C-alpha cells in the first residue's frame, strides 16, 4: 500500500498530495507523519491509502515517524471539502483540524500490592497513604516497588480550564420548548432555526437536545460567539454536564487546550463548547451541533481559508447525520429563508415582556445626547449605552487648509484617542501623537468631527453623577479585562455600561432598566449589504438586555434616520416584518440568499501588478462561467498595510461552478511568475 500525504505547509505553490511508502507503524487516514520533503522534514496528514502509485517504486520513501495524535478521518474529509469550498489549499484547511500543539502531562501513581513484608515505620506510613500520586516520595516508593510491595504506573494529569459553572436550575419545559425539542428530535441530519427573543428559553432547549443526544450515545458541539462575552452559556453547560464538557478556546493555556482536545478525541468528554473553531472538535458519533447567536459575525474566520463556521457546521452535520440547531433572537435573513423555523414567542421564567423602544430623531441636534436620553440616564439606576465607534472622534482635519490626518499605511482617516494622546488607524494599528498644529500650513485650528465611545464617556461623566464603565477594544486589551469590567458593572449599584457592539452581546444583568443606542444609523452607513441586518440585530439585541428584571425597563434609540426600516422594525420588536422586508430588498438586488457572493482581493506593494492580476482573474473566471455568474471589477480598494488592493466580486446562482472557476483561476495566477508580488485572498460568502 501507498500513503497519500498532504504536507502541512502554507504555500499555495505546492500541489500535494504526495505518495509515500507505508512506515513500519500502522497508519490510516488522519495519521500525522513526519516526512522527508526536499531538504526539510515536515509533518503531513495521510489523506488516503491506495494500492498504486504513479511513481516508480524506487523513488518512493517512507515517513520517518508516526506522531502519537491523529485526526479523525471524517475531519480529514471535512478539511478537503473546505479547501475546495473556500478556494484555499488542503494544507491550510488541514491545519485547522490537526491537534493543538503540546503533549499530555503525566505523573506517577502508586498503589500497594498487598504483598506483606517487614517494613520500617516510615515505610508503614507511606504505604498507609496509598493509593495516590507518588509526588516527593517517588524514590522511597521505587525501593518498595523493587521489593514487590508497591506498583507504580504513569497516569495522565488533566489541566482543566476554569468554567465557573453556574448553579443549575431544573425547570419544567414549556409547551413551546417541548414543541421545539420534538421538531429537532424528529429530523436527524437536518437543520432547524430556533427563533426566540432573549429570555425565551433557547438555552434550555439546547441543554435538553444535548442531553438527548448523549442518551443516544452521540456527541455534541456547541458553538458560541466570543467566550468572554457570553460566559453564561458555557457556565450552564458545565453545570448540567460537568466533566463531559470540554471547553475549546484561544484564551486557554497550551496545556489546557491540548488536554481538552485529547479528552474529546478519546471520548472521555462528549460535549465540545467553544467559538467558531470548535466546529472542528474531534467529536466521535456526532449527533448535534448547536450554533448559539447564529447571527453573530464572529462565526466568520478572517484567515485563510475564510470559512464560515455556520456553513461548515451545516456540512459536517449533513455528512455525519447530526442535527443542526441554530438559535437567535435576530436570525440572518438567509437562515430564516433556508432553514425550517421553530419559534419561541414568549419570554419564560417570570421575565418581563420586551421593553418599549422609543426612537429619538436627532436631525438638527447639536449635542451627542438627546434631552430625553439625558433625563432617562439621570434617573435610571443602571443602564447600557451602545455606540458603535471607538475612540474620541472620527477624524481630525485642519480648518485652514483642509488637511485630514490619514494613516501612512492605509488610505483611511486616523481616529483620535485623547486619553492616550494619540491618533490611531483602526485597520493596521498605526499610531502617532496628536498634532499641536497642522504640519501642512502651520494653523493651530485643528477640528474634530464626530464622536466615539471615549468622547461620550467624558460627556456622560460630566453630565451625570454615576460611574461609567467603558467596554471597547481600547479598554479590554488583556484577556481578563472583559470579565473583570463586566463583573464590576454587575456588582455596582448604579452605573452606565458604555461601549461598542460588545455591550449588546450575551451577558445578563437583571437590574438594567435602560438601554440606549446612540447614532443608530452609523451601522446603516456602511457600504455593505448586511448593514440593515446588523442595525436591526444591534437594536433588538440591546432591547433584549434591558428590562429583564422585575423593575422592567425601556430603550431609547437616537438616530438621524428614524424611518429606516431596520430601525422602525426593531423599535416595534417586529422580527418577522424586518425579515420579510429585508428578503424582498435582497431579492430585488440579487443578494444572498438569492445569489451567492464571492470576493477576491489582489494586493501588492505597487498598484499595477495588483490591478493586472485582478483583470486576469476576471477574464479567466468570465471565460469559465455562464450568465448565471455576474462579475464586478477589478475595482480599487483603499490601500491597506502598505499594499495596494483591487477587488473583484462574483454574484452567482451557480455556486459550485463559480467556486471551481475562481479556485482554478487563483491557482493559475498564484503560480504565474509575473504576479510574484501579488497576494490573493478569496472570500466565499463574505460577511
Ligand atoms: P434564552 O437562551 O432564550 O435567552 P434561557 O434558556 O437562558 O433563554 O432562559 C431564560 C431564563 O428562563 C433562564 O434563567 C432559564 O433558567 C429560565 N427558563 C428557561 N426555560 C424555563 C422554563 N421552562 N420554566 C421556567 N424557567 C425557564
Ligand atoms: Zn492646515
Ligand atoms: Zn493603517
Amino acid at each position: 500500500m501507498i500513503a497519500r500525504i498532504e504536507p502541512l505547509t502554507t504555500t499555495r505553490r505546492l500541489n500535494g498530495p504526495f505518495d509515500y511508502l507505508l512506515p513500519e507503524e500502522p497508519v490510516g487516514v488522519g495519521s500525522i507523519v513526519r516526512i522527508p520533503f526536499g531538504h526539510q522534514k515536515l509533518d503531513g496528514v495521510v489523506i488516503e491509502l491506495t494500492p498504486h502509485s504513479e511513481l516508480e517504486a524506487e523513488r518512493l520513501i517512507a515517513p520517518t515517524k508516526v506522531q502519537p495524535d491523529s485526526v479523525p478521518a471524517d475531519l480529514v474529509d471535512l478539511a478537503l471539502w473546505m479547501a475546495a469550498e473556500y478556494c484555499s489549499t488542503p494544507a491550510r484547511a488541514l491545519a485547522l483540524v490537526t491537534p493543538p500543539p503540546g503533549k499530555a502531562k503525566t505523573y506517577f501513581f502508586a498503589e500497594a500490592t498487598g504483598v506483606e513484608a517487614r517494613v520500617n515505620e516510615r515505610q508503614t506510613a507511606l504505604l498507609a497513604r496509598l493509593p495516590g500520586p507518588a509526588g516527593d516520595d517517588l524514590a522511597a516508593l521505587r525501593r518498595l516497588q523493587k521489593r514487590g510491595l508497591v506498583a507504580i504506573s504513569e497516569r495522565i494529569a488533566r489541566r482543566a480550564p476554569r468554567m465557573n459553572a453556574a448553579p443549575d436550575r431544573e425547570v419544567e419545559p414549556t409547551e413551546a420548548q417541548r414543541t421545539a425539542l420534538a421538531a429537532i428530535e424528529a429530523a436527524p441530519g437536518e437543520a432547524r432555526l430556533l427563533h426566540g427573543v432573549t429570555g425565551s428559553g433557547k438555552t434550555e432547549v439546547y441543554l435538553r437536545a444535548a442531553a438527548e443526544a448523549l442518551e443516544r450515545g452521540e456527541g455534541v458541539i456547541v458553538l458560541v460567539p466570543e467566550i468572554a462575552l457570553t460566559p453564561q452559556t458555557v457556565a450552564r453547560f458545565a453545570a448540567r454536564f460537568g466533566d463531559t464538557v470540554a471547553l475549546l478556546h484561544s484564551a486557554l493555556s497550551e496545556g489546557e487546550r491540548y488536554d481538552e482536545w485529547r479528552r474529546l478525541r478519546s471520548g472521555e468528554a462528549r460535549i465540545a463548547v467553544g467559538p467558531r473553531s470548535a466546529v472542528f472538535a474531534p467529536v466521535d458519533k456526532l449527533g448535534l451541533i448547536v450554533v448559539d447567536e447564529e447571527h453573530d459575525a464572529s462565526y466568520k474566520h478572517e484567515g485563510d481559508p475564510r470559512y464560515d463556521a455556520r456553513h461548515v457546521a451545516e456540512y459536517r452535520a449533513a455528512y455525519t447525520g447530526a442535527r443542526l440547531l441554530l438559535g437567535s433572537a435576530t436570525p440572518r435573513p438567509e437562515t430564516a429563508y433556508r432553514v425550517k423555523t421553530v419559534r419561541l414567542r414568549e419570554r419564560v421564567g417570570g421575565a418581563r415582556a420586551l421593553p418599549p423602544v422609543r426612537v429619538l430623531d436627532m436631525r438638527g441636534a447639536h449635542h451627542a445626547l438627546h434631552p430625553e436620553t439625558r433625563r432617562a440616564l439621570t434617573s435610571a439606576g443602571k443602564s447600557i449605552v451602545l455606540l458603535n465607534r471607538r475612540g474620541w472622534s472620527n477624524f481630525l482635519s485642519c480648518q485652514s487648509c483642509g488637511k485630514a490626518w490619514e494613516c501612512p499605511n492605509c488610505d483611511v482617516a486616523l481616529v483620535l484617542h485623547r486619553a492616550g494622546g494619540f491618533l490611531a488607524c483602526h485597520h493596521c494599528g498605526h499610531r502617532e501623537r496628536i498634532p499641536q498644529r497642522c504640519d501642512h500650513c502651520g494653523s493651530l485650528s485643528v477640528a474634530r468631527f464626530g464622536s466615539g465611545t471615549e468622547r461620550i464617556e467624558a460627556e456622560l461623566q460630566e453630565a451625570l453623577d454615576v460611574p461609567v464603565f467603558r467596554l471597547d477594544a481600547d479598554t479590554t486589551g488583556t484577556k481578563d479585562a472583559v470579565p473583570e469590567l463586566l463583573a464590576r458593572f454587575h456588582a455596582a449599584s448604579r452605573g452606565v455600561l458604555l461601549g461598542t457592539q460588545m455591550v449588546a452581546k450575551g451577558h445578563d444583568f437583571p437590574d438594567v432598566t435602560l438601554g440606549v443606542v446612540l447614532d443608530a444609523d452609523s451601522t446603516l452607513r456602511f457600504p455593505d449589504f448586511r448593514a440593515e441586518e446588523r442595525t436591526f440585530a444591534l437594536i433588538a439585541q440591546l432591547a433584549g438586555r434591558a428590562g429583564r428584571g422585575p423593575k422592567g425597563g425601556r430603550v431609547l434609540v437616537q438616530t438621524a434616520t428614524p424611518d429606516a426600516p431596520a430601525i422602525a422594525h426593531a423599535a416595534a420588536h417586529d422580527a418577522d416584518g424586518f425579515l420579510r422586508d429585508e428578503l424582498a430588498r435582497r431579492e430585488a438586488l440579487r443578494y444572498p440568499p438569492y445569489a451567492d457572493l464571492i470576493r477576491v482581493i489582489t494586493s501588492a506593494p505597487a498598484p499595477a501588478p495588483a490591478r493586472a492580476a485582478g483583470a486576469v482573474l476576471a477574464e479567466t473566471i468570465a471565460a469559465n462561467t455562464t450568465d448565471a455568474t455576474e462579475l464586478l471589477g477589478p475595482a480599487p480598494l483603499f490601500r491597506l498595510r502598505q499594499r495596494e488592493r483591487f477587488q473583484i466580486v462574483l454574484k452567482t446562482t451557480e455556486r459550485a461552478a463559480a467556486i471551481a472557476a475562481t479556485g482554478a483561476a487563483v491557482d493559475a495566477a498564484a503560480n504565474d511568475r509575473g504576479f510574484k508580488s501579488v497576494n490573493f485572498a478569496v472570500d466565499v460568502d463574505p460577511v
Side-chain angles (χ1 to χ4, degrees):
M1 290 293 260
I2 301 293
R4 293 244 146 93
I5 293 173
E6 197 66 66
L8 292 169
T9 151
T10 53
T11 168
R12 230 184 225 288
R13 296 180 171 86
L14 203 96
N15 288 316
F18 301 97
D19 290 356
Y20 284 82
L21 295 173
L22 292 191
E24 273 167 29
E25 294 160 80
V27 292
V29 170
S31 294
I32 301 174
V33 294
R34 199 92 186 132
I35 45 173
F37 194 84
H39 300 298
Q40 26 172 355
K41 285 201 168 168
L42 293 173
D43 273 344
V45 178
V46 177
I47 63 161
E48 193 188 346
L49 294 179
T50 159
H52 304 291
S53 173
E54 314 256 289
L55 288 179
E56 303 134 49
E58 56 274 19
R59 293 189 52 199
L60 287 169
I61 45 172
T64 54
K65 185 178 173 204
V66 181
Q67 306 289 12
D69 291 315
S70 64
V71 181
D74 64 318
L75 284 179
V76 172
D77 286 350
L78 183 76
L80 297 178
W81 166 80
M82 266 199 302
E85 182 73 2
Y86 291 104
C87 302
S88 182
T89 67
R92 290 182 201 177
L94 282 164
L96 294 170
V97 303
T98 48
K103 60 177 202 277
K105 183 179 167 189
T106 57
Y107 66 100
F108 291 107
F109 189 87
E111 290 159 285
T113 55
V115 173
E116 306 252 341
R118 276 237 325 250
V119 287
N120 64 29
E121 212 171 298
R122 245 196 76 230
Q123 289 169 325
T124 310
L126 195 48
L127 285 167
R129 84 157 175 82
L130 298 183
D136 292 341
D137 299 321
L138 185 61
L141 286 165
R142 286 279 187 218
R143 284 191 287 277
L144 293 174
Q145 182 190 27
K146 281 213 186 90
R147 293 169 57 196
L149 306 188
V150 163
I152 298 178
S153 55
E154 203 171 359
R155 293 199 177 182
I156 291 178
R158 177 177 172 207
R159 291 155 290 189
R162 219 166 17 130
M163 296 212 213
N164 302 322
D168 194 18
R169 286 209 299 140
E170 271 301 324
V171 294
E172 198 47 40
T174 61
E175 198 52 43
Q177 285 172 322
R178 254 190 258 277
T179 309
L181 271 166
I184 296 152
E185 288 312 306
E190 287 186 29
R192 288 291 179 271
L193 167 63
L194 187 60
H195 182 182
V197 295
T198 324
S200 60
K202 296 186 297 295
T203 309
E204 187 59 36
V205 172
Y206 307 155
L207 289 162
R208 284 178 181 265
E212 299 200 15
L214 290 186
E215 224 152 79
R216 288 190 297 263
E218 297 169 347
V220 179
I221 294 176
V222 182
L223 301 183
V224 294
E226 289 156 84
I227 296 260
L229 295 173
T230 53
Q232 272 120 348
T233 311
V234 177
R236 286 171 67 187
F237 270 86
R240 193 152 309 175
F241 300 107
D243 282 346
T244 303
V245 176
L247 184 60
L248 298 168
H249 70 90
S250 59
L252 300 184
S253 72
E254 189 176 294
E256 288 167 346
R257 197 167 335 138
Y258 178 82
D259 285 358
E260 292 297 81
W261 187 91
R262 187 67 239 164
R263 288 196 321 120
L264 287 165
R265 182 77 174 103
S266 68
E268 187 187 326
R270 297 293 286 143
I271 302 180
V273 182
R276 61 171 179 260
S277 59
V279 74
F280 307 121
V283 174
D284 189 34
K285 281 193 72 189
L286 190 62
L288 173 72
I289 306 180
V290 173
V291 183
D292 189 21
E293 312 284 1
E294 77 88 27
H295 61 277
D296 199 274
S298 71
Y299 288 122
K300 178 78 182 189
H301 181 61
E302 290 308 325
D304 184 348
R306 287 184 157 66
Y307 71 87
D308 188 317
R310 295 162 290 204
H311 185 50
V312 176
E314 188 184 339
Y315 180 88
R316 193 171 175 192
Y319 182 99
T320 55
R323 293 159 177 81
L324 175 62
L325 178 53
L326 305 151
S328 177
T330 55
R332 291 179 302 162
E334 53 263 61
T335 310
Y337 176 78
R338 289 177 40 220
V339 178
K340 277 205 185 118
T341 304
V342 203
R343 290 296 295 255
L344 295 178
R345 291 188 183 272
E346 308 280 325
R347 284 183 151 184
V348 288
R352 310 267 304 218
L354 287 171
V357 178
R358 248 197 86 158
V359 178
L360 301 173
D361 189 345
M362 293 299 279
R363 278 173 291 190
H366 296 292
H367 293 284
L369 297 179
H370 191 280
E372 181 159 348
T373 308
R374 193 178 288 256
R375 271 197 303 278
L377 283 168
T378 312
S379 59
K382 269 168 115 169
S383 44
I384 299 182
V385 177
L386 188 155
L387 175 64
N388 216 3
R389 196 162 53 229
R390 315 191 258 134
W392 182 268
S393 70
N394 273 8
F395 59 96
L396 211 62
S397 82
C398 170
Q399 293 195 309
S400 304
C401 76
K403 173 194 159 108
W405 271 260
E406 293 195 336
C407 176
N409 306 321
C410 319
D411 289 336
V412 295
L414 293 171
V415 177
L416 177 68
H417 290 248
R418 202 175 64 158
F422 58 85
L423 301 172
C425 171
H426 286 185
H427 291 275
C428 74
H430 167 85
R431 285 181 175 198
E432 58 188 68
R433 292 179 57 86
I434 296 174
Q436 295 304 315
R437 56 173 67 231
C438 173
D439 57 357
H440 186 66
C441 74
S443 161
L444 286 170
S445 49
V446 174
R448 291 147 190 194
F449 293 97
S451 49
T453 42
E454 188 187 8
R455 175 153 188 192
I456 294 294
E457 179 185 28
E459 274 194 33
L460 288 175
Q461 261 157 353
E462 211 175 271
L464 315 168
D465 175 31
V466 295
V468 178
F469 302 85
R470 176 154 67 96
L471 179 69
D472 62 29
D474 296 323
T475 61
T476 53
T478 62
K479 98 173 151 98
D480 291 330
V482 175
E484 273 166 20
L485 192 120
L486 293 175
R488 278 198 292 126
F489 178 66
H490 189 74
S493 56
R494 307 176 63 216
V496 178
L497 177 67
L498 163 72
T500 51
Q501 30 82 24
M502 293 165 103
V503 302
K505 301 247 165 126
H507 31 257
D508 182 4
F509 304 110
D511 51 351
V512 168
T513 54
L514 175 67
V516 177
V517 184
L518 301 177
D519 201 3
D521 41 307
S522 70
T523 43
L524 275 181
R525 291 193 295 265
F526 275 72
D528 175 347
F529 79 96
R530 291 193 187 278
E532 271 73 16
E533 167 191 334
R534 291 222 179 91
T535 306
F536 176 84
L538 217 50
I539 299 173
Q541 293 286 342
L542 186 66
R545 308 283 150 230
R548 297 189 75 170
K551 281 195 249 162
R554 62 184 182 132
V555 176
L556 299 173
V557 177
Q558 294 191 179
T559 175
T561 55
D563 303 322
I567 292 176
H569 283 308
H573 301 301
D574 184 8
D576 295 325
F578 171 72
L579 289 170
R580 191 183 57 233
D581 281 9
E582 179 61 9
L583 282 169
R585 190 184 73 90
R586 294 214 188 157
E587 185 165 25
L589 297 172
R590 285 215 333 140
Y591 276 125
Y594 302 98
D596 288 311
L597 298 182
I598 303 171
R599 184 173 64 192
V600 187
I601 295 177
T602 55
S603 69
R611 180 199 298 275
V616 166
L617 285 181
E619 214 173 286
T620 321
I621 294 169
N624 292 301
T625 49
T626 66
D627 282 354
T629 300
E630 183 187 341
L631 252 164
L632 308 164
L637 293 178
F638 69 84
R639 190 171 57 112
L640 181 68
R641 296 191 176 90
Q642 302 192 357
R643 296 183 76 87
E644 303 286 346
R645 303 182 304 154
F646 286 82
Q647 116 171 330
I648 56 177
V649 174
L650 285 70
K651 260 189 190 176
T652 182
T653 50
E654 285 178 1
R655 179 183 176 94
I659 290 174
T662 305
V666 168
D667 274 344
N671 283 303
D672 183 334
R673 295 188 141 271
F675 297 138
K676 245 176 38 198
S677 68
V678 180
N679 279 352
F680 298 84
V682 184
D683 197 348
V684 178
D685 308 325
V687 294

